[in-house]
Amino acid sequence: MSSDSTNHEEPYGIFASQEDIQQLLGESTNPEEYDHRMKRFFATYEVLKKQSEKCNQFFSKDALTNLHTRGYWDEVRQDLARSNPVVLIQINFDIDLLRATNNTLLHSSGDELLIDASLLLSSSFRPIDLIARTGGDEFCGLMAIPIKEYRSSYEQYLSELKDSNPDSTPLSIDTFWTQKLSHRIDDTISAINNRPEKLIPFSISYGIAISHPKSSNDPPHDIDSLSNEADKAMYQMKSEHKQNKFS
């Protein structure tokens, strides 16, 4: 083993050196003993590999909601921002009255609302989408939709509208997608609140923003502007919820 090997806290870790491996396997030429040492080595490797995966999952997933954390969100959304040619759709969420719920009821009641939010995001987005808990009561989702798919869904809507109501004015493509996603979210919120065991009403504000890819000479997407637009729409809904509550 090398002279500095005493500084290794885990000499047989996933990134063990060749000298470390040789130390573990030993110098024996006995086939049975060598086979035993090889099995021991790979067993140790698998244990440490699983521990490493658990650590990565711990730091990338929120323990209560099992959604990705803010750190993971920030890293992956930057990668998606460089995707081209796709349309990015970001939806920001903020649970209504979470602090008041924690202050007037048990914190377990607030936890229930957080779990409701995770259920909402898991049900409203596709498995390939990025969803995360980005703050105490804040959640975000990001969809990357190929341009062809984005347009084909809209063209199907136009065809159906022409058949059912040819005199009506069609929605713009972005408005069509915003309404489509809003209906999906609203239906899921209703389903959550209609569960027989549901005691605490679940209310959440959200905002939808859409970014189309720029020309090839520019970065495809301005992810910060997209996030700000989603925040702006979300706070508008939150203001409307407050007005409805006290009106």
Side-chain angles (χ1 to χ4, degrees), residues 192-203:
I192 291 173
N193 281 319
N194 287 335
R195 290 178 300 175
E197 69 276 14
K198 189 71 175 126
L199 298 177
I200 304 171
F202 172 62
S203 176

Side-chain angles (χ1 to χ4, degrees), residues 107-123:
H107 274 270
S108 59
S109 300
D111 289 348
E112 178 184 323
L113 297 180
L114 291 169
I115 294 172
D116 287 340
S118 70
L119 177 61
L120 170 63
L121 268 73
S122 299
S123 302

Side-chain angles (χ1 to χ4, degrees), residues 49-196:
K49 182 181 178 182
K50 289 179 180 179
Q51 288 177 344
S52 176
E53 291 171 350
K54 287 182 179 179
C55 287
N56 289 337
Q57 184 177 18
F58 176 80
F59 287 110
S60 68
K61 288 291 187 75
D62 175 65
L64 177 63
T65 63
N66 201 36
L67 298 179
H68 288 299
T69 60
R70 180 59 183 262
Y72 186 90
W73 163 266
D74 287 339
E75 180 178 352
V76 176
R77 79 184 187 117
Q78 293 296 336
D79 293 334
L80 290 175
R82 292 187 285 269
S83 301
N84 198 18
V86 297
V87 176
L88 290 184
I89 302 179
Q90 179 165 330
I91 310 179
N92 291 359
F93 300 81
D94 191 287
I95 299 176
D96 297 329
L97 302 174
L98 178 62
R99 182 177 298 178
T101 300
N102 283 331
N103 290 339
T104 57
L105 302 173
L106 295 175
H107 274 270
S108 59
S109 300
D111 289 348
E112 178 184 323
L113 297 180
L114 291 169
I115 294 172
D116 287 340
S118 70
L119 177 61
L120 170 63
L121 268 73
S122 299
S123 302
S124 300
F125 288 86
R126 305 167 300 176
I128 61 172
D129 296 329
L130 174 64
I131 56 177
R133 181 184 180 186
T134 54
D137 55 0
E138 299 171 353
F139 298 79
C140 293
L142 189 63
M143 307 174 69
I145 303 176
I147 293 178
K148 185 176 180 180
E149 178 184 339
Y150 191 80
R151 291 174 177 168
S152 64
S153 293
Y154 180 65
E155 290 167 359
Q156 181 180 353
Y157 151 74
L158 292 177
S159 176
E160 293 173 353
L161 182 66
K162 183 178 180 180
D163 292 339
S164 62
N165 194 355
D167 296 328
S168 63
T169 302
L171 303 171
S172 68
I173 186 169
D174 286 355
T175 302
F176 160 75
W177 271 93
T178 298
Q179 289 194 4
K180 176 181 178 179
L181 295 171
S182 294
H183 290 157
R184 183 189 303 173
I185 293 169
D186 292 343
D187 288 346
T188 306
I189 293 172
S190 296
I192 291 173
N193 281 319
N194 287 335
R195 290 178 300 175

